[in-house]
Amino acid sequence: MIDSTTKLYGLLGNPVSGSRSPWIHNRVFETSRIQGAYLAFDVAEENLSQAVSGLRALGARGLNITIPYKTEIMAYLDSVDPEAAALGAVNTIFCDGDHWRGFNTDGPGLLAVLKRHVENLEDCRILVLGAGGAAKGICGTLLRGGIRHMGIWNRSPEKARQLLRTLQEMQIEGSDIMMVESEKRFDEFNLVINTTSVGMEPRTEETPVRISALHPKAVVCDIVYKPHKTRLIKDAQNEGHQVIHGIEMLIEQALLAQKLWNRLDEDSILQYRNILINEFEELHK
Ligand code: ATR
């Protein structure tokens, strides 16, 4: 229950109206004994600085940052974790008194999910669909996390080439990153990750890829979580592929943020993960 000891947590972005983060974090607060309340704040570009000052003055405890402020927010922080600095994007802030520290839990969240679902992930050949901001964070984390073989496909090849250059500039030892320009090469990969917005509500009939172009045993992962079962996930399931739903990544990045804010131990994380995934699936049956 909210009382005078309750700490403020929140999400800053624009737009944030469809975000599931308030549901996830408030469920964690309800299930644990942590006195917190999490709100979503739609902040206009010209108000970001004031919003940050206000939250500092009010003693906010933890924040998430979403599109379009993941890079801009870094200018307002007292320190940035090296991983987040390398990716050039912060999605989580731990407000430790006056000291605001920035982290990125998006990529590590996905990496943890993939490790749970895929054996010998380091040896996997991963095809990343998309070359936007989400793809950059995901590719960077996966390569830094030990993935060696990666292909990048994007609707606009020039953007894929740009991402390839950015990743090569990171000079991650042993990495083998390639452009994939034709669908004919999709079957060379055993894990496919959709980082594009294709299939997201309201255009739920769209899919970034023809399932028949993939290797029959490829694992298919979508970071889109609205709807819960995207067309890509449904097509993949119909063809017998192992799938990973977008909600798992969202929940994982949120639990990593909670770990930073409230020092959750592994047993609690396991407990909350199971509760959240089961409840989400129940709600979206
Ligand atoms: P984000 O930060 O969420 O990644 P973004 O930087 O705008 O957002 O990138 C969106 C990605 O989705 C891009 O890879 C984009 O492809 P283009 O570079 O060709 O625009 C991809 N995308 C969006 N709509 C698409 C569609 N209808 N078909 C294929 N790819 C699409």
Side-chain angles (χ1 to χ4, degrees):
M1 205 180 53
I2 292 179
D3 66 17
S4 57
T5 67
T6 302
K7 295 280 180 236
L8 175 63
Y9 296 79
L11 172 68
L12 301 186
N14 191 355
V16 295
S17 56
S19 170
R20 300 282 196 264
S21 291
W23 176 77
I24 294 176
H25 289 288
N26 288 314
R27 284 298 292 131
V28 170
F29 294 142
E30 282 160 20
T31 319
S32 65
R33 287 167 189 251
I34 303 164
Q35 280 296 89
Y38 187 106
L39 295 173
F41 299 106
D42 237 321
V43 180
E45 175 85 51
E46 63 274 21
N47 293 334
L48 183 63
S49 161
Q50 272 179 293
V52 167
S53 307
L55 287 162
R56 274 190 186 266
L58 294 173
R61 169 95 178 150
L63 296 168
N64 287 132
I65 308 298
T66 189
I67 291 166
Y69 301 128
K70 289 188 184 187
T71 302
E72 200 178 334
I73 196 71
M74 292 166 83
Y76 298 94
L77 304 178
D78 301 295
S79 62
V80 176
D81 171 68
E83 182 78 30
L87 298 174
V90 160
N91 80 318
T92 299
I93 301 173
F94 176 34
C95 315
D96 191 5
D98 279 347
H99 191 94
W100 279 28
R101 283 192 275 156
F103 297 87
N104 190 311
T105 68
D106 284 331
L110 180 64
L111 187 60
V113 170
L114 294 178
K115 279 187 174 159
R116 269 208 307 280
H117 284 275
V118 182
E119 265 179 53
N120 302 324
L121 186 68
E122 286 79 6
D123 299 327
C124 243
R125 296 175 60 83
I126 300 185
L127 175 63
V128 174
L129 307 174
K136 184 179 161 209
I138 285 169
C139 293
T141 311
L142 293 181
L143 291 168
R144 290 160 71 90
I147 305 301
R148 288 186 294 273
H149 307 291
M150 184 178 281
I152 297 166
W153 171 88
N154 193 48
R155 174 179 61 178
S156 330
E158 186 38 45
K159 255 176 92 179
R161 244 172 251 123
Q162 227 172 42
L163 176 59
L164 187 73
R165 278 195 295 272
T166 306
L167 295 171
Q168 283 168 340
E169 278 162 16
M170 288 184 183
Q171 298 190 328
I172 299 163
E173 211 177 309
S175 62
D176 161 31
I177 324 164
M178 68 200 89
M179 281 273 294
V180 177
E181 301 210 39
S182 155
E183 195 189 71
K184 286 192 193 125
R185 295 192 52 200
F186 283 6
D187 69 354
E188 294 171 20
F189 297 88
N190 37 24
L191 170 60
V192 179
I193 306 174
N194 175 40
T195 74
T196 76
S197 48
V198 181
M200 196 183 283
E201 287 172 2
R203 298 165 71 174
T204 54
E205 275 318 298
E206 294 180 5
T207 174
V209 71
R210 284 191 313 117
I211 289 297
S212 57
L214 305 184
H215 189 283
K217 292 210 166 123
V219 178
V220 176
C221 171
D222 202 339
I223 71 161
V224 174
Y225 64 89
K226 278 188 301 185
H228 178 45
K229 285 198 187 295
T230 56
R231 160 101 191 272
L232 172 65
I233 291 286
K234 283 191 214 160
D235 288 353
Q237 278 183 320
N238 287 341
E239 292 306 314
H241 290 264
Q242 183 190 338
V243 298
I244 304 173
H245 295 80
I247 190 64
E248 283 205 52
M249 177 187 168
L250 188 77
I251 289 175
E252 204 65 29
Q253 62 77 29
L255 291 174
L256 288 175
Q258 283 285 350
K259 194 172 167 183
L260 289 164
W261 298 333
N262 291 307
R263 301 204 176 92
L264 295 188
D265 58 29
E266 289 306 319
D267 285 348
S268 313
I269 289 189
L270 181 65
Q271 183 199 347
Y272 301 143
R273 181 188 295 130
N274 290 338
I275 291 174
L276 291 164
I277 291 177
N278 288 339
E279 286 189 9
F280 192 88
E281 284 185 344
E282 205 52 45
L283 284 171
H284 296 87
K285 257 186 180 164

Short mmCIF file of all heavy atoms in Angstrom, two decimals, residues 67 70 129-136 153-157 159-160 194-200 203 206-208 223, ligand 1:
data_model
loop_
_atom_site.label_atom_id
_atom_site.label_comp_id
_atom_site.label_asym_id
_atom_site.label_seq_id
_atom_site.Cartn_x
_atom_site.Cartn_y
_atom_site.Cartn_z
N ILE A 67 12.31 5.58 -25.69
CA ILE A 67 12.37 6.41 -26.89
C ILE A 67 11.62 7.71 -26.67
O ILE A 67 10.54 7.68 -26.10
CB ILE A 67 11.76 5.61 -28.07
CG1 ILE A 67 12.71 4.45 -28.41
CG2 ILE A 67 11.50 6.47 -29.29
CD1 ILE A 67 12.09 3.41 -29.30
N LYS A 70 16.92 7.95 -24.83
CA LYS A 70 17.94 7.04 -24.28
C LYS A 70 19.36 7.59 -24.40
O LYS A 70 20.23 7.23 -23.61
CB LYS A 70 17.86 5.67 -24.97
CG LYS A 70 16.62 4.87 -24.57
CD LYS A 70 16.67 3.47 -25.10
CE LYS A 70 15.38 2.74 -24.78
NZ LYS A 70 15.41 1.33 -25.12
N LEU A 129 17.34 -8.96 -37.64
CA LEU A 129 16.49 -8.27 -38.62
C LEU A 129 16.32 -6.84 -38.13
O LEU A 129 15.80 -6.63 -37.03
CB LEU A 129 15.12 -8.95 -38.72
CG LEU A 129 15.13 -10.46 -39.01
CD1 LEU A 129 13.71 -11.01 -38.95
CD2 LEU A 129 15.75 -10.74 -40.37
N GLY A 130 16.77 -5.87 -38.91
CA GLY A 130 16.63 -4.46 -38.52
C GLY A 130 17.99 -3.84 -38.23
O GLY A 130 18.96 -4.55 -37.93
N ALA A 131 18.05 -2.51 -38.34
CA ALA A 131 19.33 -1.81 -38.12
C ALA A 131 19.10 -0.48 -37.43
O ALA A 131 19.87 0.47 -37.60
CB ALA A 131 20.05 -1.62 -39.45
N GLY A 132 18.04 -0.38 -36.63
CA GLY A 132 17.73 0.87 -35.92
C GLY A 132 18.40 0.91 -34.55
O GLY A 132 19.36 0.16 -34.28
N GLY A 133 17.86 1.76 -33.67
CA GLY A 133 18.42 1.92 -32.33
C GLY A 133 18.38 0.63 -31.54
O GLY A 133 19.36 0.27 -30.87
N ALA A 134 17.26 -0.10 -31.64
CA ALA A 134 17.13 -1.35 -30.88
C ALA A 134 18.17 -2.36 -31.37
O ALA A 134 18.83 -3.02 -30.56
CB ALA A 134 15.72 -1.91 -31.03
N ALA A 135 18.34 -2.45 -32.69
CA ALA A 135 19.31 -3.40 -33.26
C ALA A 135 20.72 -3.08 -32.77
O ALA A 135 21.49 -3.97 -32.41
CB ALA A 135 19.26 -3.36 -34.78
N LYS A 136 21.04 -1.79 -32.73
CA LYS A 136 22.40 -1.38 -32.33
C LYS A 136 22.71 -1.87 -30.91
O LYS A 136 23.75 -2.47 -30.66
CB LYS A 136 22.54 0.13 -32.43
CG LYS A 136 23.93 0.61 -32.11
CD LYS A 136 24.04 2.12 -32.25
CE LYS A 136 25.26 2.59 -31.50
NZ LYS A 136 25.14 3.95 -30.99
N TRP A 153 20.40 -8.02 -41.47
CA TRP A 153 19.54 -7.75 -42.62
C TRP A 153 18.68 -6.53 -42.28
O TRP A 153 18.19 -6.41 -41.16
CB TRP A 153 18.62 -8.93 -42.93
CG TRP A 153 17.59 -8.59 -43.97
CD1 TRP A 153 17.74 -8.70 -45.31
CD2 TRP A 153 16.27 -8.05 -43.75
NE1 TRP A 153 16.60 -8.25 -45.94
CE2 TRP A 153 15.69 -7.86 -45.01
CE3 TRP A 153 15.55 -7.72 -42.61
CZ2 TRP A 153 14.41 -7.33 -45.17
CZ3 TRP A 153 14.28 -7.19 -42.76
CH2 TRP A 153 13.72 -7.01 -44.03
N ASN A 154 18.52 -5.64 -43.24
CA ASN A 154 17.62 -4.51 -43.03
C ASN A 154 16.94 -4.16 -44.34
O ASN A 154 17.50 -4.37 -45.41
CB ASN A 154 18.39 -3.30 -42.51
CG ASN A 154 17.46 -2.22 -41.99
OD1 ASN A 154 16.54 -2.51 -41.23
ND2 ASN A 154 17.67 -0.99 -42.41
N ARG A 155 15.70 -3.64 -44.23
CA ARG A 155 14.97 -3.24 -45.43
C ARG A 155 15.80 -2.26 -46.26
O ARG A 155 15.92 -2.40 -47.47
CB ARG A 155 13.64 -2.58 -45.00
CG ARG A 155 12.85 -2.00 -46.13
CD ARG A 155 11.57 -1.41 -45.63
NE ARG A 155 11.79 -0.33 -44.66
CZ ARG A 155 10.81 0.37 -44.11
NH1 ARG A 155 9.56 0.08 -44.39
NH2 ARG A 155 11.07 1.34 -43.24
N SER A 156 16.40 -1.27 -45.58
CA SER A 156 17.27 -0.34 -46.30
C SER A 156 18.71 -0.78 -46.08
O SER A 156 19.25 -0.60 -44.97
CB SER A 156 17.11 1.08 -45.77
OG SER A 156 15.81 1.29 -45.28
N PRO A 157 19.35 -1.36 -47.09
CA PRO A 157 20.70 -1.92 -46.90
C PRO A 157 21.71 -0.88 -46.42
O PRO A 157 22.63 -1.22 -45.68
CB PRO A 157 21.07 -2.44 -48.29
CG PRO A 157 19.81 -2.48 -49.07
CD PRO A 157 18.84 -1.55 -48.45
N LYS A 159 21.44 1.39 -44.19
CA LYS A 159 21.44 1.47 -42.72
C LYS A 159 22.10 0.24 -42.10
O LYS A 159 22.75 0.32 -41.07
CB LYS A 159 20.02 1.64 -42.19
CG LYS A 159 19.75 3.05 -41.72
CD LYS A 159 18.34 3.25 -41.28
CE LYS A 159 18.09 3.01 -39.82
NZ LYS A 159 16.68 3.25 -39.46
N ALA A 160 21.93 -0.90 -42.78
CA ALA A 160 22.57 -2.13 -42.29
C ALA A 160 24.09 -1.98 -42.41
O ALA A 160 24.84 -2.37 -41.51
CB ALA A 160 22.09 -3.34 -43.09
N ASN A 194 14.02 -10.54 -34.40
CA ASN A 194 13.40 -9.38 -35.03
C ASN A 194 13.54 -8.17 -34.12
O ASN A 194 12.99 -8.13 -33.02
CB ASN A 194 11.91 -9.62 -35.31
CG ASN A 194 11.26 -8.37 -35.85
OD1 ASN A 194 11.85 -7.65 -36.67
ND2 ASN A 194 10.07 -8.06 -35.37
N THR A 195 14.28 -7.15 -34.58
CA THR A 195 14.40 -5.91 -33.80
C THR A 195 13.64 -4.78 -34.48
O THR A 195 13.70 -3.64 -34.02
CB THR A 195 15.89 -5.47 -33.67
OG1 THR A 195 16.33 -4.93 -34.93
CG2 THR A 195 16.79 -6.61 -33.27
N THR A 196 12.96 -5.06 -35.59
CA THR A 196 12.18 -4.01 -36.26
C THR A 196 10.83 -3.86 -35.56
O THR A 196 10.47 -4.68 -34.71
CB THR A 196 11.92 -4.34 -37.75
OG1 THR A 196 10.89 -5.32 -37.83
CG2 THR A 196 13.17 -4.83 -38.46
N SER A 197 10.10 -2.85 -35.97
CA SER A 197 8.78 -2.63 -35.38
C SER A 197 7.70 -3.35 -36.19
O SER A 197 6.52 -3.20 -35.90
CB SER A 197 8.49 -1.14 -35.34
OG SER A 197 8.80 -0.58 -36.60
N VAL A 198 8.10 -4.14 -37.16
CA VAL A 198 7.13 -4.80 -38.04
C VAL A 198 6.31 -5.83 -37.25
O VAL A 198 6.87 -6.66 -36.53
CB VAL A 198 7.84 -5.50 -39.22
CG1 VAL A 198 6.82 -6.17 -40.13
CG2 VAL A 198 8.66 -4.50 -40.00
N GLY A 199 4.98 -5.73 -37.36
CA GLY A 199 4.10 -6.67 -36.66
C GLY A 199 3.50 -6.07 -35.39
O GLY A 199 2.60 -6.64 -34.77
N MET A 200 4.02 -4.89 -35.01
CA MET A 200 3.54 -4.22 -33.78
C MET A 200 2.13 -3.67 -34.00
O MET A 200 1.79 -3.31 -35.14
CB MET A 200 4.49 -3.06 -33.49
CG MET A 200 4.41 -2.50 -32.10
SD MET A 200 5.52 -1.09 -31.94
CE MET A 200 7.10 -1.88 -31.78
N ARG A 203 -0.46 -2.71 -36.77
CA ARG A 203 -0.29 -3.43 -38.04
C ARG A 203 0.12 -4.87 -37.77
O ARG A 203 1.23 -5.30 -38.13
CB ARG A 203 0.70 -2.68 -38.90
CG ARG A 203 0.16 -1.28 -39.20
CD ARG A 203 1.20 -0.35 -39.72
NE ARG A 203 1.61 -0.70 -41.07
CZ ARG A 203 2.44 0.04 -41.79
NH1 ARG A 203 2.92 1.15 -41.29
NH2 ARG A 203 2.76 -0.32 -43.00
N GLU A 206 1.45 -7.79 -40.31
CA GLU A 206 2.74 -7.73 -41.02
C GLU A 206 3.79 -8.61 -40.35
O GLU A 206 3.75 -8.83 -39.15
CB GLU A 206 3.23 -6.28 -41.08
CG GLU A 206 2.32 -5.41 -41.92
CD GLU A 206 2.78 -3.96 -41.98
OE1 GLU A 206 3.86 -3.64 -41.46
OE2 GLU A 206 2.03 -3.16 -42.57
N THR A 207 4.72 -9.07 -41.17
CA THR A 207 5.84 -9.85 -40.63
C THR A 207 7.11 -9.44 -41.37
O THR A 207 7.05 -9.14 -42.57
CB THR A 207 5.59 -11.37 -40.76
OG1 THR A 207 6.76 -12.06 -40.35
CG2 THR A 207 5.23 -11.79 -42.18
N PRO A 208 8.26 -9.41 -40.70
CA PRO A 208 9.48 -8.96 -41.38
C PRO A 208 10.07 -10.03 -42.30
O PRO A 208 10.94 -9.73 -43.11
CB PRO A 208 10.43 -8.67 -40.21
CG PRO A 208 9.94 -9.53 -39.09
CD PRO A 208 8.47 -9.67 -39.27
N ILE A 223 11.30 -9.10 -30.54
CA ILE A 223 11.31 -8.18 -29.39
C ILE A 223 10.00 -7.39 -29.31
O ILE A 223 9.76 -6.71 -28.33
CB ILE A 223 12.54 -7.24 -29.37
CG1 ILE A 223 12.47 -6.18 -30.45
CG2 ILE A 223 13.84 -8.00 -29.46
CD1 ILE A 223 13.40 -4.99 -30.15
P1 ATR B 1 14.19 1.46 -33.05
O1 ATR B 1 14.97 2.42 -32.22
O2 ATR B 1 12.95 0.92 -32.36
O3 ATR B 1 15.04 0.35 -33.60
P2 ATR B 1 14.26 2.84 -35.58
O4 ATR B 1 15.64 3.33 -35.27
O5 ATR B 1 13.30 3.78 -36.21
O6 ATR B 1 13.57 2.31 -34.27
O7 ATR B 1 14.38 1.51 -36.50
C1 ATR B 1 13.28 0.84 -36.97
C2 ATR B 1 13.74 -0.44 -37.72
O8 ATR B 1 12.56 -1.11 -38.19
C3 ATR B 1 14.58 -0.15 -38.93
O9 ATR B 1 15.48 -1.22 -39.13
C4 ATR B 1 13.54 -0.10 -40.05
O10 ATR B 1 14.03 -0.38 -41.33
P3 ATR B 1 14.55 0.82 -42.29
O11 ATR B 1 15.91 1.17 -41.80
O12 ATR B 1 14.55 0.24 -43.64
O13 ATR B 1 13.57 1.94 -42.13
C5 ATR B 1 12.65 -1.24 -39.61
N1 ATR B 1 11.30 -1.15 -40.21
C6 ATR B 1 10.31 -0.32 -39.85
N2 ATR B 1 9.21 -0.54 -40.62
C7 ATR B 1 9.54 -1.56 -41.47
C8 ATR B 1 8.84 -2.30 -42.49
N3 ATR B 1 7.56 -2.01 -42.80
N4 ATR B 1 9.49 -3.29 -43.15
C9 ATR B 1 10.78 -3.59 -42.84
N5 ATR B 1 11.49 -2.95 -41.88
C10 ATR B 1 10.89 -1.96 -41.19
#
